[in-house]
Amino acid sequence: MSEDKEMLSVRTYIPKFNGEQDKFQIWWAQFKAHCSHIGVIEAIGTTRPVNLPTTEDEVIDLSKKDGKLQNQARKANATAMVSLTLAFTKNSLLGMIYSAESVEYPNGEAWKVVSKLMKKYKPDNFMASVELEEELAALSMGREDDPEELFEEISILKNKYSRVNIEEVKLMATVISKAPSEYASTIQNERRRLGTKFDMETLEEVMQELWKSLYAKSKEKTTTIKEMQL
């Protein structure tokens, strides 16, 4: 494939979203990357773009700077609406597209769709805090599990509930409480040694190093044996 065709492929690929809550964060990150790549990232905020014209068919003076900015914003909105429409694979999501249409903008305003998405999938309210608490409580880590998996789950929750103020110390306490007993003394020693410098990144490093020394080699050996048997 030529470089031009590869670039065209990247520009035309639109991440799909089926409306499932646990798929939203990954899709949204990919969709933002798509919009940034095609130059319309300013159209997918949660508030109306400053330079977006009052109406879709408003006559703009392109000889002026403001006119050029308005024209750019209008084109970005149109492209973003196309991308959102093609990204959605569920009728209920397409309902957000229809609700963003108006007399002024028959083809819709992208920021209105994004605003509805954020309200539904990233709520900034009391219930979001409750849901976060429940999901943190549901986390677990088995005796030989790689700590990286637990920290990845924590990272996903941080992104999912980014509008909720989550203190790092709370997340650290969650990790420590979920960690098997084998980690307790090592974590405690590092906390005493580093004092206030002991943070989430350090906690992950400590747990990862201990896991490697305790279980990584045995897991590699098990995998090798299984591959040989196959």
Side-chain angles (χ1 to χ4, degrees), residues 3 15 27 42 47 51 53-54 77 89-90 95 97 104 112-113 124 134 155 172 183 185-186 191 194 214 216 227 230:
E3 185 175 341
W27 170 77
E42 71 276 8
T47 56
N51 295 308
T54 306
N77 175 72
T89 62
K90 195 173 181 180
I97 298 293
E104 292 78 15
K112 291 183 177 180
V113 179
D124 183 15
E134 292 175 346
S155 179
M172 291 174 67
Y183 292 86
S185 61
T186 301
R191 286 178 64 190
L194 296 174
L214 293 175
E227 289 175 348
L230 293 174

Side-chain angles (χ1 to χ4, degrees), residues 8-207:
L8 179 61
S9 177
V10 172
R11 290 180 64 86
T12 55
Y13 170 72
I14 300 175
K16 306 296 182 183
F17 181 50
N18 61 4
E20 294 180 13
Q21 177 72 59
D22 62 345
K23 301 291 194 302
F24 178 76
Q25 193 57 45
I26 292 177
W27 170 77
W28 180 239
Q30 293 176 341
F31 187 76
K32 285 196 298 181
H34 161 74
C35 288
S36 177
H37 185 70
I38 62 176
V40 300
I41 191 69
E42 71 276 8
I44 58 168
T46 55
T47 56
R48 196 174 196 280
V50 176
N51 295 308
L52 191 65
T54 306
T55 63
E56 198 169 84
D57 58 358
E58 181 177 327
V59 177
I60 297 173
D61 186 353
L62 297 178
S63 66
K64 296 183 178 180
K65 181 179 179 180
D66 288 347
K68 292 178 179 179
L69 292 174
Q70 288 180 322
N71 188 52
Q72 180 181 337
R74 184 165 61 186
K75 287 183 177 180
N77 175 72
T79 302
M81 280 301 298
V82 170
S83 293
L84 284 165
T85 302
L86 294 177
F88 295 162
T89 62
K90 195 173 181 180
N91 286 335
S92 59
L93 292 171
L94 291 176
M96 295 184 181
I97 298 293
Y98 302 141
S99 66
E101 298 172 353
S102 63
V103 174
E104 292 78 15
Y105 273 83
N107 292 307
E109 295 177 70
W111 73 270
K112 291 183 177 180
V113 179
V114 174
S115 181
K116 289 181 180 295
L117 282 170
M118 294 300 120
K119 185 176 181 180
K120 181 174 182 178
Y121 293 100
K122 298 183 71 171
D124 183 15
N125 52 32
F126 175 73
M127 284 309 299
S129 298
V130 173
E131 291 170 5
L132 172 60
E133 291 289 343
E134 292 175 346
E135 294 204 47
L136 286 174
L139 294 175
S140 63
M141 179 179 170
R143 184 168 174 270
E144 297 186 16
D145 288 349
D146 187 339
E148 183 179 4
E149 297 174 7
L150 178 59
F151 283 92
E152 284 180 355
E153 291 182 42
I154 292 284
S155 179
I156 290 172
L157 291 179
K158 284 177 64 178
N159 288 325
K160 180 179 178 181
Y161 295 99
S162 60
R163 295 188 178 189
V164 177
N165 182 27
I166 312 173
E167 295 184 358
E168 184 176 274
V169 65
K170 179 178 180 61
L171 296 179
M172 291 174 67
T174 298
V175 171
I176 293 172
S177 69
K178 302 298 179 181
S181 58
E182 289 86 348
Y183 292 86
S185 61
T186 301
I187 292 174
Q188 185 63 25
N189 290 337
E190 285 300 300
R191 286 178 64 190
R192 288 173 178 169
R193 185 176 72 84
L194 296 174
T196 57
K197 294 181 179 180
F198 188 78
D199 56 15
M200 193 70 166
E201 184 177 351
T202 305
L203 176 60
E204 182 175 3
E205 291 174 356
V206 169
M207 291 180 65

